[in-house]
Amino acid sequence: MICLGLTDADKATRVRDYAVEHHIARVFVLGQPLALDLTVPVECVAWPDLIKYRFYYRLLQEVDGRTLLVVNECLRTQKRYDLTYNCIRAFLNQTSHQLVFQYLPLIDTAEDFAILFDFDSRSRWRREPLERLPLGEVMVERVDVAPNFVTVDVPTPEAAKASYAKCKRELINGIGLRDPHTIPRNLYLMGGVAKAACVDPAGHYVGRNRRMGLSSLCTFRESCGNSHVVFEFPHDFIVFSDHLARTRQRSIDVLVADLNVDRWYFHRFTDWSNRIRDAYATIQR
Amino acid sequence: MPTQRFSGKTVLESARERMAFVFDACPEVIVSISGGKDSTVLAHIALTEARSRERRVGLFFLDEEVMYQSSVDQAECLMKLFPGVGKPMWLQVPFKLTNATSVTEGQLDCWEPGKHQVWMRPKRSDAVKAKPWDVNTETTRNRAKGFGFYDAIENLQRHHAGAAFLVGLRAAGESPNRWRAVTKYPIEFGGRRVYWGTRRESVATLYPIYDWNTHDVWRYIWDAKLPYSKVYDWQFRKGYPISAMRVSSLIHERAFKSICDLPEFEPKTYDRLLKRIKGIALAQEAGRSAKLFACRKLPKNFSSWITYREWLLRTHADRERVPIFEKRFARHLVNEFVARQQCRQLILNDYENNLTVDSSPDPREALIRYYDEVL
């Protein structure tokens, strides 16, 4: 079964109910650790450990027909045939009991859902694209957690705009063989000073780093619990996806400076949010 | 170009109908086999049809010498599948084969006379060891390169003029270019217009399973409980994607990567290959290396792919081929995207242009332009 958008408490309940109903003798949590209060032994194997020999071969020996595998937040890369995914497949082949938990159904595109589908379907269709998968073959429980973004306009001085234009020209002219995505990544930092002037010291903000030295601003790695205003978006969707999974925010205010790059990032993430909604629709068909 | 439409028939029914049509139209039918899955299926369909008509069908296998042992075993197995129905035509004649793994030994002389000590395996007693066609009228596509793989096939086909040659080439599920190439020029055969064949002089080459996809092939093998090359099983276990599971030559430009896994799959074949031809150990180590054969990462001593290409041209070991490359590159666009592909051709000494260069604008430059416009 694939469960999307559940809280840790809901996940723990699902695991407990499943373990009782199917007389499970042992539980392995693969990926993100999950606090479980069960009478049977529980072991968590973190994502980086899944490919290590000392875990891989031991799990192949120990996972049997009475073991429940909880695949928790394991959608970490878009590469469907990634080594870690292949290791998880090997563990899943040892038992018929698995629960797949994930906050969002994708990293970037709807095709990513096929990875979760593989986990829950013994990878029988792992070479087929999403459009050809028999989606009715797996049960999906979902809570709609697609984010909504709200713009908070930040006035930007003309000097900052001039500096932005200059920096853009320098970046483009000097890009050489470097990754072209360096251009928006670096330009996006330019609006930081203007945004810092609008920051409420009592609020909670999340940004790429602590370069502005603001006590109310934390990084995407550190965010948890509270509702945060997005000071600036990360470039990679997975970083933001992790942030959402920790904070469970739905409605998100975003500081948008009067610069093209800020507007571009805002639209990029709005499109991403729409893709999540489309993915929900695809999964349900 | 013909489009694909549902006809209500399965591809197997259609293939059987095509096979019956070929047998009706032609007194001599020859199936080319390679030891791969497609030719296995085609040979089985042809043998079944021939048996029902109490006729014989030629099973032509051009032995490339440097092959997976499993492919050789599979070819042998097919020849024995329907005793008395299949007519073995196992050709072990000398011809040249491109070797992409070495710039100093760019061609392998398969079954080179006088070098039987280093052959991958001895010639078979039941094989055709001398060219069956008239050597005086023998044709060669490229005299500079010498008598090659396709020359052997063409001369054999001419020797059997009037026969229908069946090939297990598939166009569905492959590239659109393959589909276009197969269906674009229909031929007249047996009083009908046939979209699944090509003709050269009086020889018709037909592709009865051209509309099958990979899954159809595996389904047929399963249903008919056919034996197949063990290499597919090893590739599957190793996690190869279905499109990459191929059993082709070991040393040409598109297939040398298979050498990387050869010691694991067939250690004895690898051991013999090491002794047979140059470049194998390097290809085994670096066949998938981003900085060498794959040419995906620029070596750090160079500032651009263009400078790397110039350096490769300047220092290329096979000096005779350099003008060929220079002439070809002069027709290409000058950008990093194209230069990277040119570097790959130089590293693989692909003077025959088998790995064609896509001479189009650099997508990276397009992305930079896009950022310039929107940001």
Side-chain angles (χ1 to χ4, degrees):
Chain A
M1 184 180 188
I2 300 173
C3 304
L4 301 172
L6 298 191
T7 61
D8 280 1
D10 289 338
K11 290 176 187 174
T13 310
R14 297 289 186 287
V15 175
R16 194 173 55 240
D17 294 349
Y18 191 96
V20 171
E21 191 184 333
H22 294 89
H23 310 290
I24 296 299
R26 191 167 188 187
V27 176
F28 281 102
V29 180
L30 312 179
Q32 211 175 82
L34 191 61
L36 296 172
D37 183 19
L38 299 174
T39 52
V40 296
V42 178
E43 184 178 341
C44 297
V45 183
W47 169 263
D49 292 336
L50 288 167
I51 57 168
K52 291 179 183 166
Y53 284 172
R54 67 173 189 275
F55 288 97
Y56 180 75
Y57 289 112
R58 185 166 68 77
L59 257 65
L60 281 188
Q61 283 187 325
E62 293 180 7
V63 175
D64 60 18
R66 289 190 63 202
T67 305
L68 168 64
L69 291 179
V70 179
V71 184
N72 189 28
E73 306 295 332
C74 277
L75 193 56
R76 305 300 310 163
T77 160
Q78 290 185 271
K79 199 174 153 196
R80 197 169 167 186
Y81 308 110
D82 181 73
L83 178 61
T84 315
Y85 291 153
N86 287 341
C87 291
I88 295 174
R89 283 181 229 280
F91 305 143
L92 290 167
N93 278 336
Q94 309 277 103
T95 176
S96 58
H97 303 293
Q98 79 276 338
L99 288 171
V100 180
F101 295 128
Q102 189 65 38
Y103 187 71
L104 293 173
L106 50 77
I107 295 174
D108 187 353
T109 65
E111 197 63 37
D112 303 337
F113 181 74
I115 296 164
L116 301 177
F117 182 88
D118 287 347
F119 289 154
D120 206 47
S121 59
R122 296 275 159 296
S123 299
R124 277 189 296 135
W125 306 94
R126 74 167 166 162
R127 290 180 171 86
E128 297 291 351
L130 180 70
E131 60 177 12
R132 287 173 63 178
L133 293 181
L135 293 172
E137 214 173 73
V138 300
M139 277 178 64
V140 181
E141 179 190 350
R142 72 170 175 90
V143 178
D144 189 342
V145 288
N148 292 309
F149 297 108
V150 180
T151 323
V152 178
D153 288 323
V154 174
T156 311
E158 286 305 315
K161 289 182 188 172
S163 158
Y164 171 85
K166 187 175 167 230
C167 180
K168 177 183 151 186
R169 196 47 39 219
E170 282 171 6
L171 272 170
I172 289 172
N173 292 341
I175 191 69
L177 285 177
R178 281 185 299 156
D179 181 5
H181 297 298
T182 310
I183 299 166
R185 271 194 173 121
N186 288 3
L187 281 177
Y188 198 33
L189 303 177
M190 300 287 293
V193 177
K195 288 179 201 167
C198 300
V199 164
D200 175 4
H204 294 284
Y205 293 83
V206 62
R208 289 186 182 179
N209 51 43
R210 288 178 169 276
R211 71 188 186 285
M212 307 310 298
L214 301 169
S215 59
S216 55
L217 178 69
C218 67
T219 66
F220 284 101
R221 279 174 188 274
E222 298 159 350
S223 67
C224 61
N226 302 307
S227 254
H228 291 78
V229 176
V230 172
F231 184 83
E232 62 207 353
F233 283 114
H235 191 79
D236 297 327
F237 291 118
I238 193 157
V239 177
F240 197 72
S241 169
D242 288 346
H243 163 73
L244 289 181
R246 279 195 301 274
T247 59
R248 302 190 61 78
Q249 254 184 287
R250 291 286 315 277
S251 181
I252 301 162
D253 287 344
V254 183
L255 299 187
V256 179
D258 189 15
L259 299 172
N260 284 345
V261 70
D262 277 51
R263 284 186 285 275
W264 182 78
Y265 264 104
F266 184 81
H267 288 305
R268 184 167 176 257
F269 273 81
T270 310
D271 291 346
W272 177 68
S273 177
N274 291 335
R275 286 203 293 279
I276 295 171
R277 290 190 184 86
D278 292 346
Y280 284 141
T282 308
I283 294 162
Q284 260 184 344
R285 74 173 148 83
Chain B
M1 190 176 75
T3 51
Q4 287 176 284
R5 283 197 206 97
F6 282 108
S7 65
K9 267 187 251 172
T10 66
V11 286
L12 177 57
E13 287 164 353
S14 300
R16 283 182 177 145
E17 280 177 15
R18 286 179 203 127
M19 195 60 77
F21 164 66
V22 172
F23 273 82
D24 285 341
C26 214
E28 189 182 10
V29 180
I30 298 172
V31 183
S32 290
I33 58 173
S34 65
K37 59 185 186 308
D38 302 335
S39 65
T40 297
V41 165
L42 181 69
H44 189 258
I45 296 172
L47 285 164
T48 312
E49 182 67 30
R51 187 170 61 176
S52 70
R53 292 169 181 251
E54 295 184 351
R55 278 176 60 179
R56 297 195 75 186
V57 59
L59 295 173
F60 163 53
F61 179 61
L62 180 56
D63 195 332
E64 293 177 36
E65 192 193 333
V66 282
M67 309 179 79
Y68 285 109
Q69 184 58 41
S70 306
S71 300
V72 177
D73 296 344
Q74 177 65 11
E76 190 171 356
C77 181
L78 285 174
M79 300 227 174
K80 290 177 180 166
L81 202 58
F82 287 68
V85 181
K87 194 165 63 180
M89 298 165 69
W90 194 305
L91 222 62
Q92 289 183 321
V93 297
F95 64 92
K96 289 183 189 296
L97 206 58
T98 306
N99 174 25
T101 64
S102 168
V103 279
T104 53
E105 193 177 353
Q107 291 213 315
L108 168 74
D109 284 315
C110 300
W111 308 115
E112 191 178 354
K115 288 210 174 171
H116 59 277
Q117 298 96 332
V118 292
W119 287 345
M120 292 286 286
R121 60 205 131 79
K123 284 190 177 181
R124 297 166 59 89
S125 58
D126 59 350
V128 179
K129 299 178 192 73
K131 293 173 180 174
W133 53 86
D134 182 2
V135 184
N136 297 320
T137 58
E138 179 179 280
T139 55
T140 306
R141 282 183 178 188
N142 184 345
R143 292 218 172 268
K145 190 190 157 196
F147 188 79
F149 178 83
Y150 291 105
D151 299 318
I153 292 177
E154 277 173 21
N155 281 288
L156 183 96
Q157 288 185 329
R158 208 172 293 115
H159 181 61
H160 289 269
F165 275 81
L166 308 186
V167 176
L169 179 134
R170 289 184 300 106
E174 301 282 329
S175 70
N177 272 347
R178 170 82 71 92
W179 178 264
R180 204 160 37 237
V182 171
T183 59
K184 197 173 177 183
Y185 301 108
I187 59 167
E188 291 299 324
F189 180 81
R192 249 206 253 167
R193 183 167 238 221
V194 170
Y195 282 87
W196 37 278
T198 49
R199 186 182 284 283
R200 184 183 276 259
E201 297 165 20
S202 64
V203 180
T205 306
L206 301 160
Y207 316 115
I209 60 165
Y210 83 114
D211 53 354
W212 289 42
N213 65 31
T214 318
H215 301 283
D216 299 324
V217 171
W218 285 117
R219 171 70 192 264
Y220 186 87
I221 288 174
W222 169 260
D223 286 345
K225 297 283 175 281
L226 289 182
Y228 59 89
S229 171
K230 283 276 166 276
V231 175
Y232 290 116
D233 282 342
W234 296 324
Q235 290 177 337
F236 184 83
R237 282 181 206 162
K238 189 97 183 157
Y240 278 45
I242 206 157
S243 55
M245 287 167 59
R246 288 173 191 270
V247 181
S248 56
S249 165
L250 287 170
I251 54 170
H252 73 65
E253 298 89 356
R254 291 180 192 277
F256 66 87
K257 274 182 271 182
S258 52
I259 295 174
C260 297
D261 291 326
L262 188 62
E264 210 173 324
F265 294 168
E266 289 192 357
K268 285 182 184 167
T269 308
Y270 177 66
D271 196 37
R272 288 195 291 262
L273 195 59
L274 278 174
K275 291 168 189 154
R276 180 70 180 96
I277 192 161
K278 286 182 184 170
I280 300 302
L282 179 67
Q284 197 278 320
E285 289 243 342
R288 294 198 181 109
S289 154
K291 282 188 186 167
L292 197 57
F293 285 103
C295 231
R296 278 197 309 270
K297 220 170 174 183
L298 184 67
K300 65 178 179 183
N301 317 42
F302 299 92
S303 58
S304 69
W305 288 104
I306 293 172
T307 52
Y308 185 35
R309 181 197 63 194
E310 296 309 316
W311 181 82
L312 286 171
L313 276 171
R314 231 178 17 253
T315 58
H316 202 276
D318 194 353
R319 297 310 302 169
E320 284 178 21
R321 312 288 186 204
V322 170
I324 301 174
F325 287 116
E326 285 174 335
K327 192 176 166 192
R328 185 187 305 154
F329 295 167
R331 293 194 300 266
H332 294 161
L333 289 179
V334 181
N335 63 44
E336 289 292 292
F337 174 67
V338 173
R340 189 192 70 79
Q341 300 172 73
Q342 292 168 338
C343 289
R344 190 177 51 163
Q345 281 202 337
L346 286 164
I347 284 172
L348 295 174
N349 197 20
D350 180 21
Y351 61 92
E352 295 167 289
N353 205 16
N354 290 329
L355 294 171
T356 48
V357 171
D358 176 10
S359 179
S360 55
D362 189 348
R364 204 175 148 279
E365 283 171 12
L367 185 60
I368 293 169
R369 232 181 359 260
Y370 164 75
Y371 281 144
D372 195 9
E373 283 164 17
V374 299
L375 298 181

